[in-house]
């Protein structure tokens, strides 16, 4: 045991003696010019090291530098700058004149990926062929390799062309690569923008064997959380995995095997983007569930003042920031082109659950075309193809609406309309406006449509009962049944609808049931939630009493006006005038009969003259 301890002590003494000798004999500043030449020869970037280099021997043999910067050829600002840099080096290779850098560590660095930090060739300078190999340096007294890179508590500034800068804070990155250019990457950061805070972390495997012509990445873990203005109170949490590839020749970033989760929503699929002056997107996505109630703050609260179902405790909207130049609506669409296909098994929005939703969308620099947008809602089907032209300052949207057997009660409830109406709605029409949201549709859209409903039921007002009770009060020879529900039920209803900036006009209204038929016209104010409609109602069943009067009532439409606020409707029946007119016609008919039977009488002639004046 004593011999073993003695051997270990000898080894430690030799190690520290060699290390001390290395520190005394090898000046790290001798590597400065060599590292600068190596970086420039291999990448073309200019490495600048301020201040002297010095050794740091514990717990890792390292070279410490002062302020450093790495600048692309022709760039006006450095791509990477830091107040200090640490190079962890291997000890034994130094004895054979090899500088093996095991890890480069930057703390508090600033990474700028902006147009000012990009490589720029001098005007008229020759450009080498793509994929060419850089000339080898003749001096090979030292070799220079880096296997690990660590960036801690740093800042990333990203900007594409003339877009706004995106600042990524708390950047922590660790990358380790082998001799085959296979790398493992771990990264975490935080982005705060437009009063929203995004934190994320990822783990990925990189294949840089063909870099810079091609770079492959396999993201095995990507966790993120988004919170802030115009988002649900609980924020949006998600995870993702995907395979990505960068093609330098075509400037194309593509991804496949995407598996993305956001709260309880999920997306799978593939896509690509060509980073041209106007990025060109191509997406093919599928989803088992898209729950917009947990992803978006519904505009129902701003429309009606009531919280939307499934969107309780919504986050407050962002404040409006004054600006000298007011940007046009949907101006973001002008900056890219896109082709997207989406199929979702279930989509939840405003308390509605759509199934088998399919969409085909194309954007050509501001001209958005939705060639397909369809799905099922309950037992019904709906289709809403359309377009949005955002190329001018005033956007213009046009949609063709086709609904088949959609439950109208669920639609009214989703948009907080207080009309207690149920039934299967079918609609075919075209509508246009300047903004795609519920409030703009109520206030500023125009269009025409044909409307049909089956098995409809309007709660709170029974047309048949109102008419029969009014007749019974005016004429004791007729009795009204008292066992009706407080609702008007129609088997079929149809109308021609016209929407004009918040006013919905209904013409040629026709409805029927086993007990009544009606015709009419009217208007509904969608903003003030009021209506004024006039009907002619023919009640064909449910009468009791005078047979002749009932026969006349079954053939005589009764004028009915329904008006006022939707939550407190008023009505007006002209039953008294109708019965008075009938009595007048009956009296006139009988007097004319008496005149015809007594034509030779002088009284009949006087009565005839009087009747002619009536």
């Amino acid at each position: 045991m004593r011999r073993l301890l003695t051997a270990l002590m000898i080894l430690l003494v030799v190690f520290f003696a060699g290390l001390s000798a290395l520190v005394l004999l090898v000046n790290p500043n001798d590597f400065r010019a060599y590292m600068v030449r190596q970086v420039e020869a291999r990448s073309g970037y200019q490495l600048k090291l301020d201040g002297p280099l010095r050794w740091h021997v514990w717990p890792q043999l390292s070279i410490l530098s002062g302020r450093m910067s790495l600048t692309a050829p022709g760039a006006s600002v450095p791509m990477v700058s830091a107040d200090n840099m640490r190079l962890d080096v291997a000890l034994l290779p130094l004895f054979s004149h090899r500088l093996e850098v095991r890890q480069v560590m930057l703390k508090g660095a600033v990474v700028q990926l902006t147009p000012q930090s990009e490589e720029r060739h001098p005007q008229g300078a020759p450009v080498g062929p793509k994929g060419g190999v850089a000339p080898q340096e003749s001096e090979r007294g030292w070799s220079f390799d880096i296997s690990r890179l660590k960036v801690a508590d740093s800042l990333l500034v990203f900007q594409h062309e003339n877009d706004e800068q995106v600042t990524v804070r708390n950047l922590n990155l660790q990358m380790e690569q082998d001799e085959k250019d296979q790398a493992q990457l771990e990264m975490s950061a935080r982005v705060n923008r437009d009063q929203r805070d995004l934190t994320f972390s990822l783990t990925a495997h990189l294949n840089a064997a063909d870099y810079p012509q091609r770079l492959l990445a396999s993201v095995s873990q990507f966790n993120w959380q988004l919170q802030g203005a115009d988002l649900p109170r609980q924020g949006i949490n998600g995870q993702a995995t995907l395979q990505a590839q960068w093609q330098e020749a075509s400037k194309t970033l593509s991804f496949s095997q995407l598996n993305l989760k956001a709260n309880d929503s999920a997306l799978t699929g593939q896509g690509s983007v060509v980073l041209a002056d106007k990025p060109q997107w191509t997406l093919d996505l599928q989803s088992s569930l898209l729950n917009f109630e947990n992803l978006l703050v519904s505009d129902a609260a701003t429309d009606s003042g009531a919280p939307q179902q499934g969107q309780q405790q919504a986050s407050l909207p962002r404040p409006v920031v004054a600006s000298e130049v007011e940007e046009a609506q949907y101006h973001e669409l002008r900056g890219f082109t896109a082709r997207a296909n989406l199929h979702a098994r279930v989509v939840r929005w405003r308390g509605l659950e759509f199934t088998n939703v399919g969409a085909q969308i194309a954007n050509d620099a501001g001209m958005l075309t939705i060639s397909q947008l369809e799905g099922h809602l309950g037992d019904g089907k709906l289709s809403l193809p359309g377009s949005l032209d955002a190329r001018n300052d005033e956007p213009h949207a046009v949609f063709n609406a086709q609904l088949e057997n959609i439950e109208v009660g669920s639609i009214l409830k989703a948009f907080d309309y207080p009309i207690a109406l149920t039934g299967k709605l079918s609609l075919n029409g075209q509508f246009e406006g300047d903004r795609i949201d519920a409030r703009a549709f109520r206030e500023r859209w125009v269009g025409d449509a044909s409307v049909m409903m089956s098995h409809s039921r309007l709660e709170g007002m029974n047309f048949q009962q109102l008419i029969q009770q009014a007749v019974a009060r005016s004429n004791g020879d007729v009795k009204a049944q008292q066992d009706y529900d407080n609702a008007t039920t129609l088997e079929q209803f149809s109308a021609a609808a016209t929407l004009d900036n918040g006013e919905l006009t209904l013409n040629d209204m026709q409805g029927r049931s086993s007990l009544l038929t009606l015709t009419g016209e009217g208007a509904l104010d969608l903003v003030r939630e009021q209506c004024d409609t006039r009907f002619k109602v023919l009640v064909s069943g449910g009468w009791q009493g005078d047979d002749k009067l009932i026969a006349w009532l079954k053939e005589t439409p009764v004028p009915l006006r329904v008006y006022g606020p939707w939550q407190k409707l008023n009505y007006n029946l002209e039953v008294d005038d109708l019965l008075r007119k009938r009595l007048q016609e009956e009296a006139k008919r009988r007097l004319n009969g008496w005149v015809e039977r007594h034509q030779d009488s002088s009284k009949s002639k006087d009565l005839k003259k009087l009747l002619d004046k009536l």
Side-chain angles (χ1 to χ4, degrees), residues 389-424:
D389 190 351
R391 295 172 294 184
N392 302 316
D393 292 339
E394 293 293 334
H396 183 244
V398 179
F399 280 85
N400 296 313
Q402 296 180 355
L403 282 67
E404 299 180 8
N405 296 323
I406 299 297
E407 176 54 53
V408 67
S410 60
I411 301 295
L412 295 174
K413 182 179 179 181
F415 289 92
D416 299 316
Y417 281 126
I419 300 179
L421 176 66
T422 59
K424 300 295 184 179

Side-chain angles (χ1 to χ4, degrees), residues 154-183:
S154 298
L155 186 72
L156 169 64
V157 180
F158 175 79
Q159 183 182 20
H160 178 68
E161 299 299 334
N162 296 322
D163 297 339
E164 295 184 10
Q165 287 188 354
V166 178
T167 302
V168 181
R169 306 180 186 277
N170 299 340
L171 175 64
N172 292 280
L173 181 147
Q174 185 162 348
M175 183 174 67
E176 182 176 354
Q177 66 174 351
D178 57 20
E179 64 279 359
K180 296 181 181 180
D181 295 324
Q182 306 294 312

Side-chain angles (χ1 to χ4, degrees), residues 63-213:
I63 299 176
L64 303 182
S65 75
R67 183 170 180 81
M68 61 79 62
S69 63
L70 187 65
T71 307
S76 59
V77 298
M79 185 184 72
V80 181
S81 59
D83 291 335
N84 54 72
M85 177 177 65
R86 190 183 83 190
L87 305 178
D88 296 338
V89 300
L91 174 62
L92 295 180
L94 291 175
F95 292 99
S96 57
H97 280 216
R98 285 194 308 114
L99 179 62
E100 183 179 326
V101 180
R102 293 181 174 178
Q103 178 173 270
V104 176
M105 179 177 179
L106 302 175
K107 187 172 183 180
V110 177
V111 183
Q112 300 188 69
L113 301 179
T114 65
Q116 292 76 21
S117 66
E118 291 182 352
E119 179 179 355
R120 297 180 182 274
H121 295 283
Q123 186 174 3
V127 180
K130 292 182 178 181
V133 180
Q136 299 294 323
E137 186 180 359
S138 58
E139 180 184 3
R140 282 300 176 186
W142 292 82
S143 64
F144 184 59
D145 298 305
I146 300 176
S147 57
R148 288 196 296 268
L149 172 66
K150 184 175 182 180
V151 179
D153 300 330
S154 298
L155 186 72
L156 169 64
V157 180
F158 175 79
Q159 183 182 20
H160 178 68
E161 299 299 334
N162 296 322
D163 297 339
E164 295 184 10
Q165 287 188 354
V166 178
T167 302
V168 181
R169 306 180 186 277
N170 299 340
L171 175 64
N172 292 280
L173 181 147
Q174 185 162 348
M175 183 174 67
E176 182 176 354
Q177 66 174 351
D178 57 20
E179 64 279 359
K180 296 181 181 180
D181 295 324
Q182 306 294 312
Q184 292 292 331
L185 173 68
E186 294 183 4
M187 178 180 176
S188 64
R190 179 175 65 88
V191 180
N192 188 284
R193 180 179 174 87
D194 295 336
Q195 297 190 12
R196 294 177 179 175
D197 190 80
L198 171 66
T199 58
F200 67 90
S201 63
L202 68 86
T203 302
H205 174 79
L206 303 179
N207 183 352
D210 298 327
Y211 183 81
Q213 286 73 30

Side-chain angles (χ1 to χ4, degrees), residues 383 493 594:
S383 176
F493 175 84
W594 186 87

Side-chain angles (χ1 to χ4, degrees), residues 304-470:
S304 62
Q308 172 62 26
Q309 179 182 1
Q311 196 63 57
Q312 299 178 357
Q313 297 182 347
S315 175
L316 294 176
R318 288 175 287 176
V320 178
V321 180
S323 175
E324 295 181 358
V325 180
E326 184 177 355
E327 294 180 336
Q329 294 288 343
Y330 310 110
H331 69 279
E332 300 90 350
L333 295 175
R334 306 175 190 173
F336 67 96
T337 63
R339 300 289 184 274
N341 294 326
L342 172 66
H343 182 269
R345 187 159 53 88
V346 177
V347 175
R348 293 174 184 164
W349 177 67
R350 286 180 171 264
L352 304 174
E353 184 168 299
F354 303 89
T355 58
N356 295 326
V357 176
Q360 294 182 0
I361 305 173
N363 176 47
D364 290 323
M367 185 62 202
L368 183 69
T369 302
I370 305 176
S371 57
Q372 179 191 20
L373 180 58
E374 61 183 22
H376 292 81
L377 180 60
D379 297 330
K381 181 180 180 182
L382 71 161
S383 176
L384 294 170
S387 64
L388 171 64
D389 190 351
R391 295 172 294 184
N392 302 316
D393 292 339
E394 293 293 334
H396 183 244
V398 179
F399 280 85
N400 296 313
Q402 296 180 355
L403 282 67
E404 299 180 8
N405 296 323
I406 299 297
E407 176 54 53
V408 67
S410 60
I411 301 295
L412 295 174
K413 182 179 179 181
F415 289 92
D416 299 316
Y417 281 126
I419 300 179
L421 176 66
T422 59
K424 300 295 184 179
L425 171 68
S426 296
L427 181 147
N428 192 344
Q430 184 181 85
F431 300 92
E432 55 185 290
D434 61 346
R435 187 184 178 104
I436 305 176
D437 62 43
R439 183 171 183 176
F441 183 83
R442 295 182 184 185
E443 298 179 354
R444 301 191 300 273
W445 278 58
V446 298
D448 298 285
S450 60
V451 179
M452 292 182 292
M453 291 185 62
S454 61
H455 306 291
S456 62
R457 180 181 175 89
L458 176 63
E459 300 289 345
M461 188 172 293
N462 188 325
F463 290 178
Q464 178 186 354
Q465 189 178 38
L466 291 176
I467 292 174
Q468 291 183 338
Q469 289 178 347

Side-chain angles (χ1 to χ4, degrees), residues 170-337:
N170 299 340
L171 175 64
N172 292 280
L173 181 147
Q174 185 162 348
M175 183 174 67
E176 182 176 354
Q177 66 174 351
D178 57 20
E179 64 279 359
K180 296 181 181 180
D181 295 324
Q182 306 294 312
Q184 292 292 331
L185 173 68
E186 294 183 4
M187 178 180 176
S188 64
R190 179 175 65 88
V191 180
N192 188 284
R193 180 179 174 87
D194 295 336
Q195 297 190 12
R196 294 177 179 175
D197 190 80
L198 171 66
T199 58
F200 67 90
S201 63
L202 68 86
T203 302
H205 174 79
L206 303 179
N207 183 352
D210 298 327
Y211 183 81
Q213 286 73 30
R214 188 176 67 162
L215 178 65
L216 303 177
S218 175
V219 179
S220 58
Q221 183 178 1
F222 180 65
N223 299 325
W224 54 278
Q225 182 179 37
L226 181 63
Q227 292 181 319
D230 284 348
L231 292 171
R233 181 78 65 181
Q234 73 275 13
I236 303 176
N237 300 293
Q239 307 85 37
T241 60
L242 70 150
Q243 303 290 323
Q245 179 177 256
W246 168 255
Q247 295 284 351
E248 175 65 23
S250 59
K251 301 293 183 182
T252 301
L253 176 64
S254 58
F255 64 89
S256 61
Q257 302 180 35
L258 172 67
N259 192 342
L260 172 66
K261 293 184 178 180
N263 290 347
D264 56 348
S265 299
L267 273 177
T268 60
Q270 58 190 5
S272 65
V273 56
V274 179
L275 296 181
D277 293 337
K278 292 185 177 180
Q280 304 170 12
W281 287 87
T282 302
L283 299 173
D284 186 7
L285 304 174
Q286 300 83 38
S287 173
S288 58
L289 171 63
L290 283 179
N291 189 355
F292 290 112
E293 294 181 352
N294 288 337
L295 297 177
L296 302 175
V297 173
S298 172
D299 56 0
T302 59
D303 288 344
S304 62
Q308 172 62 26
Q309 179 182 1
Q311 196 63 57
Q312 299 178 357
Q313 297 182 347
S315 175
L316 294 176
R318 288 175 287 176
V320 178
V321 180
S323 175
E324 295 181 358
V325 180
E326 184 177 355
E327 294 180 336
Q329 294 288 343
Y330 310 110
H331 69 279
E332 300 90 350
L333 295 175
R334 306 175 190 173
F336 67 96
T337 63

